[in-house]
Amino acid sequence: LISSHTQYFKKFRDKKINRYVIETNKLLIRLDKLICDISSDPEKKKEFEKSIVPWVADSDVPLCPGCAKSFGLSRRWHHCRLCGFVMCNSCSFFISYDFARKLTLPAICDDQCLLQKSSPVPRKGSAASLMSVVNIGSDHHLIRICKDCNMLLQRHEKMIDLKNHRPVIVQIYERLRESMNEVEKLVPQYIDVIESLNSGETDYQLQDAQTLKLKITKLAEKIDAHSKRIAKLEPTEEESSSRAVQLQSGIRMAASQFLRNAVLSLPSPPTQEELARYQSMRLDQVHRRIQQEKEAEMLRNQKENSKSPSPVKSPTQRMAEPVTPDTGWCVSTDTVKEEEDPMIQQINIIHNYIKQARLDHKYDEVRMLENNLKELQLEHSRQKANNY
């Protein structure tokens, strides 16, 4: 039979983790109190530090717990400001107030960029104990802690760094994805512009296609550079070398495939001569269509006139008809000047809107306005054909 010790291990581990968490939280609470009330008077500062955590009496500790050396005139008693235990000056660690703020207020410190990484500094040298009697205020801007408290604070700092740490490959990949998303937005617009130009439409200009193509080309260069940089990254110690290399090569291959499918297959914009030829062909097609619509409308009118008998006019009605020397007998019509036609005015307004939207590179608005313009022009052509 195979007995499993997983539950026992979890129980033992949870107790240990809970103890570390509780002790660390106590230290952080005391540390926060220490940095919130900073007094310039050494005596008041010392009394305040004693009020936060009780200090162990010097007489109760004849030997330093860290180095096991006896206290005396050359080796003085010092107390940890977070737990109150006794140690000598050589076994003391010191942390700055900025480092303490980083541990107690990590989010605020990161947002305001107040801090640089500052590790606790151990005190070295045997002569420092004697000099500390003379220079009492030399460590006024530092907080003295013991080895155990330093270990807990260091562990807490590592947890903060791991939580806020973003690997280099992640940062580069995010920029890579931003460029790819931008390309995916611009490619459909570029294709619409090219199709419009190749069909001879005047919705866009050749400069619009060239501007979009330049933007896509620059983004493609960024994508290629980011993917190459990812492929050349060295795996860190925490990462598996084979898996990291496989991931980096996969990103590089995906970026290359994206460039081949989305960018390299794009059609080139037409030349100025080709654009002029396309527009001329388009204009001829429009003229032929208008002529066909006019002829069809005339045929319909002739059929309707042939079916319905013309009314017999009385002599009074004939005398009321206007007579001109040039045309003879004719029907008087109220003609409207072209510049006074409201439909022509609306067409001119839309033309101005399209021009402004094209200057602002708002191609979606240009496409929508051009569709409205086509409908108005078609309706205007029908009205003119009916008038004939």
Side-chain angles (χ1 to χ4, degrees), residues 41-96:
D41 188 0
E43 294 297 330
K44 292 183 179 180
K45 180 182 178 183
K46 187 175 182 180
E47 293 298 328
F48 175 71
E49 291 172 347
K50 286 183 178 181
S51 65
I52 293 177
V53 57
W55 286 10
V56 177
D58 297 347
S59 58
D60 295 341
V61 186
L63 300 177
C64 175
C67 59
K69 295 180 180 180
S70 60
F71 291 106
L73 183 61
S74 61
R75 182 170 286 102
R76 305 300 299 172
W77 288 267
H78 295 282
H79 294 80
C80 175
R81 269 51 175 180
L82 298 180
C83 64
F85 285 178
V86 176
M87 69 277 186
C88 67
N89 194 68
S90 300
C91 297
S92 299
F93 288 80
F94 295 87
I95 60 174
S96 64

Side-chain angles (χ1 to χ4, degrees), residues 199-213:
S199 62
E201 297 178 353
T202 58
D203 300 354
Y204 305 97
Q205 297 178 358
L206 185 59
Q207 185 180 0
D208 299 333
Q210 294 172 349
T211 302
L212 283 174
K213 186 64 178 296

Side-chain angles (χ1 to χ4, degrees), residues 9-23 155:
F9 168 75
K10 289 182 178 180
K11 184 178 180 180
F12 178 78
R13 183 192 61 180
D14 292 343
K15 288 183 179 180
K16 190 174 182 179
I17 291 176
N18 291 336
R19 183 171 64 86
Y20 277 124
V21 170
I22 293 173
E23 293 298 328
R155 180 175 297 181

Side-chain angles (χ1 to χ4, degrees), residues 105-321:
L105 301 172
I108 297 177
C109 294
D110 290 341
D111 292 340
Q112 297 178 353
C113 300
L114 295 175
L115 307 176
Q116 295 179 352
K117 190 171 182 179
S118 174
S119 300
V121 181
R123 177 59 60 89
K124 300 295 182 181
S126 59
S129 299
L130 184 60
M131 293 302 296
S132 64
V133 179
V134 181
N135 300 326
I136 297 176
S138 59
D139 298 325
H140 178 70
H141 297 291
L142 299 175
I143 301 175
R144 186 189 298 269
I145 60 175
C146 64
K147 182 179 179 181
D148 294 334
C149 294
N150 173 56
M151 181 188 67
L152 293 175
L153 294 181
Q154 287 282 6
R155 180 175 297 181
H156 185 68
E157 182 195 17
K158 288 182 180 179
M159 292 178 61
I160 294 176
D161 292 340
L162 288 175
K163 183 179 179 180
N164 300 327
H165 176 65
R166 296 171 65 250
V168 178
I169 187 173
V170 174
Q171 300 177 21
I172 302 175
Y173 182 75
E174 288 179 353
R175 293 195 290 268
L176 174 67
R177 285 304 312 173
E178 289 178 0
S179 300
M180 294 173 71
N181 293 336
E182 191 67 23
V183 169
E184 290 176 349
K185 292 180 182 178
L186 293 178
V187 165
Q189 298 180 11
Y190 176 77
I191 293 176
D192 291 342
V193 172
I194 293 298
E195 291 178 352
S196 177
L197 294 176
N198 291 337
S199 62
E201 297 178 353
T202 58
D203 300 354
Y204 305 97
Q205 297 178 358
L206 185 59
Q207 185 180 0
D208 299 333
Q210 294 172 349
T211 302
L212 283 174
K213 186 64 178 296
L214 182 61
K215 289 182 179 180
I216 295 174
T217 303
K218 290 183 178 180
L219 289 172
E221 293 175 355
K222 289 183 179 180
I223 293 172
D224 185 63
H226 290 328
S227 61
K228 286 182 178 179
R229 186 179 175 188
I230 290 176
K232 294 179 181 179
L233 286 177
E234 295 292 337
T236 59
E237 297 179 357
E238 295 83 3
E239 299 173 344
S240 174
S241 177
S242 59
R243 294 188 63 183
V245 172
Q246 184 179 2
L247 175 63
Q248 293 169 201
S249 61
I251 294 175
R252 171 60 182 168
M253 291 176 60
S256 301
Q257 186 68 25
F258 175 81
L259 293 176
R260 284 194 295 268
N261 296 337
V263 179
L264 298 181
S265 60
L266 289 178
S268 300
T271 61
Q272 196 68 38
E273 293 77 11
E274 293 175 344
L275 181 61
R277 187 172 71 253
Y278 294 152
Q279 291 178 351
S280 177
M281 294 170 58
R282 175 77 175 182
L283 187 61
D284 294 340
Q285 292 177 359
V286 172
H287 286 320
R288 285 197 299 269
R289 187 181 64 184
I290 293 175
Q291 187 64 28
Q292 291 174 359
E293 291 179 356
K294 289 181 179 179
E295 293 176 356
E297 187 67 23
M298 291 176 64
L299 289 175
R300 285 196 299 270
N301 293 335
Q302 290 177 1
K303 290 180 180 179
E304 292 177 358
N305 293 334
S306 62
K307 291 180 180 179
S308 59
S310 57
V312 179
K313 297 181 180 180
S314 63
T316 307
Q317 292 176 342
R318 293 176 182 175
M319 293 297 295
E321 293 178 351

